[in-house]
Amino acid sequence: MGEWRRSLEEVGLVVVLSNPVSEFWRRKRVLITGHTGFKGSWLSLWLQSMGSTLRGIALAPPTNPSLFEIARVAEGMEHRIVDIRDFDAVRTEMDEFRPEIVIHMAAQPLVRSSFNLPVETYATNVMGTVHVLEAARYVGSVKAIVNITTDKCYENREWIWGYREDEPMGGHDPYSSSKGCAELVSAAYRKSFFREAGIAIATARAGNVIGGGDWALDRLVPDTLRALEKREPVLIRSPSAIRPWQHVLEPLYGYLLLAERLYRHGQADAEGWNFGPRDEDARPVRWIVECLCENWGGEANWSLQPGDHPHEASFLKLDISKASQRLQWIPRWSLDTSLTRITDWHRAWLSGADMHDFCIQQISQFQSEQ
Ligand SMILES: NC(=O)c1ccc[n+]([C@@H]2O[C@H](COP(=O)([O-])OP(=O)(O)OC[C@H]3O[C@@H](n4cnc5c(N)ncnc54)[C@H](O)[C@@H]3O)[C@@H](O)[C@H]2O)c1
């Protein structure tokens, strides 16, 4: 026990294991879609650290390098390459694994790609969602489903107030609209099939997330870190645009709390939930870049990216009163802290650290900072 505990302490697992959220997840059978992606990799590591029995279905990691490979995510779970546009394949996985909880994150998640790939975006984000829900409906083991959409699912009225969960769905670009559709699909499945079948489904809407191990194109933090690494100026499209930012662990914690609630209490919480940042963490793009440059230890050096840029919806703020009141979910890390954690992560990676252990340490640190 002593040896075991000491080695767990070294990677910060003891704090994780003594947290009440962790107790619930031990030995739960969880199917996660999109586990090879950025958020999916972090969530898979978190669930693994809590002792869940985990199967992931997704395409190959969407970036190279990828957090999935670097943090050896596959080692702690059953890892399957499955295209969610293929219903039979999804159904086979679901029938074979018989999960109790499904966390659906697989998606084509980039606004700009959705202009070039609208058919693929809708096929994955809408019909892929239908396939996952339909397979969950028939397997007979599922009690709770959390479907991850986005803050962009709301009809953006270009107003200054926070959007509440009962605001209408919308979306200007194919990505946002596909996620609005995924919300409607979830609501229809809830009313038509799941209530009767005793399956509780909720949707989770979060905004831009940032964190170590994100290499997606066209996202500010990865683009900035790439430029800093190469000692090149950071090219930014809209320096004054204000966006809400949050560390990836913040919404993931919300998803975990929500799934637990659904599992324990059934339909009472089976609805839409916002997991957004604090008001003060909505900052201009330029502020983020300058803060990252400062953390990195160099002069802030950015310039405007030339060319036309496709429409990007203006700032959309989430009202998080419901999650904070009913789930006691409250953002933990300020934007400053999050950016420091990200530069720490990136430096550790560049210096050849064990990134599996480093991720677990950051998760444990997050859990211990109430
Ligand atoms: N990253 C953000 O800032 C952000 C913000 C709001 C919402 N989201 C949502 O969170 C979820 C995860 O986003 P992410 O940033 O980790 O994206 P990501 O691109 O890193 O990961 C996407 C995952 O989906 C999988 N996938 C894509 N197409 C698939 C298909 N046809 N079949 C099976 N798997 C497929 C990929 O293999 C990968 O595992 C998405 O639903 C996204 O819309 C992300």
Side-chain angles (χ1 to χ4, degrees):
M1 171 71 186
E3 273 301 299
W4 178 75
R5 193 178 169 89
R6 231 187 344 271
S7 60
L8 283 180
E9 267 165 3
E10 276 160 20
V11 294
L13 262 176
V14 166
V15 182
V16 174
L17 289 175
S18 58
N19 190 295
V21 173
S22 321
E23 291 306 315
F24 167 81
W25 287 96
R26 197 171 305 168
R27 284 193 282 277
K28 288 285 178 307
R29 295 181 71 76
V30 185
L31 181 88
I32 171 168
T33 74
H35 67 295
T36 60
F38 170 59
K39 286 168 84 169
S41 292
W42 275 104
L43 187 63
S44 298
L45 290 171
W46 198 338
L47 288 165
Q48 290 170 20
S49 75
M50 296 188 293
S52 303
T53 306
L54 199 57
R55 178 177 291 197
I57 61 172
L59 298 180
T63 58
N64 185 15
S66 72
L67 179 60
F68 182 77
E69 298 290 350
I70 286 170
R72 308 191 313 277
V73 176
E75 287 177 14
M77 67 192 300
E78 294 177 28
H79 157 55
R80 301 278 197 275
I81 296 291
V82 172
D83 190 330
I84 59 166
R85 289 168 294 184
D86 177 348
F87 176 59
D88 291 339
V90 174
R91 189 149 184 202
T92 302
E93 293 297 328
M94 193 77 76
D95 288 349
E96 216 181 86
F97 185 61
R98 298 188 55 78
E100 303 167 88
I101 297 172
V102 175
I103 301 182
H104 174 45
M105 328 190 129
Q108 189 303 96
L110 301 171
V111 172
R112 275 161 69 95
S113 307
S114 79
F115 285 103
N116 300 329
L117 301 169
V119 175
E120 288 83 345
T121 302
Y122 283 108
T124 300
N125 298 1
V126 185
M127 283 314 293
T129 299
V130 172
H131 294 159
V132 171
L133 301 191
E134 184 70 1
R137 175 184 164 205
Y138 283 110
V139 66
S141 57
V142 175
K143 288 182 73 173
I145 305 175
V146 179
N147 181 18
I148 311 308
T149 64
T150 171
D151 58 357
K152 298 185 174 66
C153 67
Y154 290 109
E155 184 186 331
N156 191 337
R157 303 185 194 183
E158 311 274 335
W159 68 26
I160 52 169
W161 303 285
Y163 287 74
R164 293 191 187 154
E165 282 86 349
D166 55 1
E167 230 88 52
M169 296 293 111
H172 176 110
D173 58 88
Y175 168 71
S176 306
S177 122
S178 73
K179 286 292 188 168
C181 295
E183 285 277 346
L184 300 179
V185 166
S186 305
Y189 263 76
R190 178 187 302 127
K191 290 177 199 150
S192 308
F193 312 117
F194 287 159
R195 269 191 197 141
E196 207 170 302
I199 300 171
I201 181 171
T203 54
R205 305 153 187 175
N208 287 341
V209 293
I210 55 179
D214 189 5
W215 278 278
L217 290 172
D218 269 337
R219 283 188 190 154
L220 182 66
V221 173
D223 287 351
T224 304
L225 290 171
R226 257 190 295 265
L228 286 171
E229 245 178 74
K230 293 189 201 151
R231 297 171 195 276
E232 287 172 357
V234 184
L235 294 178
I236 47 184
R237 291 196 290 273
S238 335
S240 313
I242 296 184
R243 300 257 177 261
W245 308 95
Q246 61 185 166
H247 194 275
V248 61
L249 296 178
E250 305 280 0
L252 296 186
Y253 183 54
Y255 307 160
L256 291 173
L257 284 175
L258 183 54
E260 180 177 345
R261 277 296 190 92
L262 297 173
Y263 187 94
R264 288 186 194 276
H265 305 302
Q267 303 301 326
D269 298 304
E271 48 195 39
W273 293 83
N274 288 342
F275 296 104
R278 292 172 236 236
D279 280 4
E280 60 269 30
D281 287 338
R283 298 276 192 168
V285 165
R286 188 180 45 222
W287 189 93
I288 307 285
V289 173
E290 287 169 359
C291 191
L292 280 170
C293 293
E294 200 184 310
N295 283 351
W296 198 257
E299 281 290 298
N301 184 9
W302 57 265
S303 53
L304 265 186
Q305 189 173 340
D308 292 337
H309 306 300
H311 174 277
E312 279 187 56
S314 63
F315 174 40
L316 193 155
K317 187 165 97 179
L318 293 175
D319 182 325
I320 56 171
S321 317
K322 187 167 106 172
S324 59
Q325 297 252 332
R326 280 174 49 191
L327 300 177
Q328 284 76 54
W329 175 89
I330 294 163
R332 292 183 178 190
W333 283 352
S334 68
L335 186 52
D336 267 337
T337 306
S338 304
L339 292 172
T340 305
R341 299 283 187 267
I342 293 167
T343 23
D344 290 349
W345 194 101
H346 208 74
R347 277 188 200 290
W349 173 60
L350 288 176
S351 69
D354 181 321
M355 296 317 291
H356 174 275
D357 292 357
F358 198 87
C359 287
I360 298 290
Q361 255 174 40
Q362 287 204 328
I363 290 169
S364 154
Q365 199 172 16
F366 178 85
Q367 286 212 272
S368 64
E369 288 173 22
Q370 301 276 357

